[in-house]
Amino acid sequence: MNETLVTVVGNVATEPEMYTTATGVGVTRFRLATTARRWDSERGSWTDGATSFYTVRAWRTLAGHVKESVGLGEPLVVQGRLKIREDERDGRRYTAAEIEAVAVGHDLARGVARFSRTSAPPATLPEPSAPPPVPAVAVP
């Protein structure tokens, strides 16, 4: 099976939320924002481009570690499988970009972190619940 693996550097745009599936598997979900920057030689400064948002899902042990380690606004590096979903509701087409995380870490170009290896599973998972709704982006 061909999978598209991507690495995205950005900032956490929503507080990570953890839930469990009906089969008891832990999942943590958050949105990651990434904005392209380029040097504008006419202005002599950096200029921000468009911001892209990705829904990131981490599963099982990674889900617990992300929930315990990641907070709103923090700079991250996320590697995972890219999935593009297209949907149509009320006659409008929507596209959503999702990343099923394989690895998540803080962007050390913008700060420092201390790694702590765990020998026990992460904090107790919450009771099974429905996943939060995924916001869709309208495609003109």
Side-chain angles (χ1 to χ4, degrees):
M1 176 162 113
N2 292 331
E3 295 179 325
T4 304
L5 289 175
V6 296
T7 302
V8 180
V9 178
N11 292 316
V12 179
T14 61
E15 192 66 44
E17 297 175 348
M18 188 169 194
Y19 61 94
T20 57
T21 65
T23 59
V25 177
V27 182
T28 295
R29 175 195 173 277
F30 64 93
R31 300 275 286 162
L32 185 72
T34 182
T35 303
R37 298 195 86 202
R38 66 176 179 80
W39 179 256
D40 186 338
S41 58
E42 290 178 13
R43 289 175 149 173
S45 64
W46 289 96
T47 302
D48 287 342
T51 300
S52 297
F53 291 90
Y54 299 89
T55 298
V56 178
R57 290 190 202 300
W59 294 79
R60 297 174 181 77
T61 302
L62 180 58
H65 292 165
V66 167
K67 178 63 178 160
E68 292 296 317
S69 304
V70 173
L72 183 64
E74 294 180 356
L76 293 184
V77 179
V78 175
Q79 183 179 40
R81 290 177 280 283
L82 178 65
K83 297 179 181 188
I84 304 296
R85 286 190 310 104
E86 293 186 13
D87 193 13
E88 188 172 327
R89 279 184 258 145
D90 301 326
R92 294 184 69 184
R93 291 185 60 203
Y94 294 90
T95 301
E98 299 181 0
I99 300 172
E100 185 177 316
V102 173
V104 176
H106 286 99
D107 182 355
L108 299 182
R110 297 191 273 165
V112 297
R114 298 285 177 252
F115 179 76
S116 176
R117 186 173 306 277
T118 60
S119 57
T124 306
L125 298 176
E127 290 299 313
S129 62
V134 176
V137 177
V139 176

